[in-house]
Amino acid sequence: AREGPPHLVSCRWRVDVTLSTSDVARVLRPNILMRLELTDGTVRTFEVGLTEFHQLRHQVAYMLNEMEWAGQELDRANEIGQRAQAQWNKLKGLSEKLGIQKEPPKSIQALVSHLKAVPPK
């Protein structure tokens, strides 16, 4: 079973146009009827006017852009983490080579302090 909130399985839509009402002979007002099916089996059906549809469309586009940006930021953070790990591994190797200690220090500051205390060879 998939964890987290349900996901979209399908989206169906149609446009209904009100041509006239009993009060007005010519209205021509579009409404969008949307039907969303989710992975948990629920079906959501709703109707929105043109203005609300454009607001919904804009918000979805905005969220997709935000998700893309967040993904790029996550990729950058992972890259920085990998570079930091590589540098840490170099420092660890250097400290072992110099015989400073077998276990890596708890912090970079501890390593720097220890290196300052060891006389140069």
Side-chain angles (χ1 to χ4, degrees):
R2 180 175 248 191
E3 295 291 323
H7 294 72
L8 186 64
V9 173
S10 72
C11 175
R12 298 179 135 191
W13 59 274
R14 76 171 195 244
V15 178
D16 291 338
V17 179
T18 303
L19 300 175
S20 64
T21 67
S22 59
D23 297 329
V24 181
R26 190 175 166 128
V27 175
L28 298 178
R29 183 179 57 233
N31 283 323
I32 295 88
L33 182 67
M34 299 189 74
R35 182 177 189 269
L36 308 176
E37 293 181 43
L38 307 177
T39 53
D40 66 358
T42 60
V43 175
R44 311 269 183 190
T45 303
F46 58 95
E47 187 173 348
V48 293
L50 192 58
T51 301
E52 292 86 4
F53 175 75
H54 284 302
Q55 290 172 345
L56 175 64
R57 183 184 56 79
H58 173 75
Q59 288 299 316
V60 168
Y62 177 80
M63 288 306 301
L64 289 173
N65 285 333
E66 288 292 305
M67 290 169 57
E68 182 179 340
W69 173 84
Q72 292 169 355
E73 289 297 308
L74 184 59
D75 290 344
R76 282 190 212 113
N78 286 333
E79 183 181 320
I80 290 168
Q82 290 171 354
R83 287 198 311 255
Q85 183 65 49
Q87 290 300 318
W88 179 252
N89 290 339
K90 286 180 184 178
L91 284 172
K92 180 180 166 187
L94 178 61
S95 69
E96 289 172 357
K97 185 177 179 181
L98 294 173
I100 296 172
Q101 61 190 61
K102 301 266 187 225
E103 289 295 316
K106 299 293 183 209
S107 68
I108 298 291
Q109 292 83 6
L111 177 61
V112 169
S113 296
H114 192 76
L115 287 173
K116 286 181 180 177
V118 174
K121 292 184 179 183

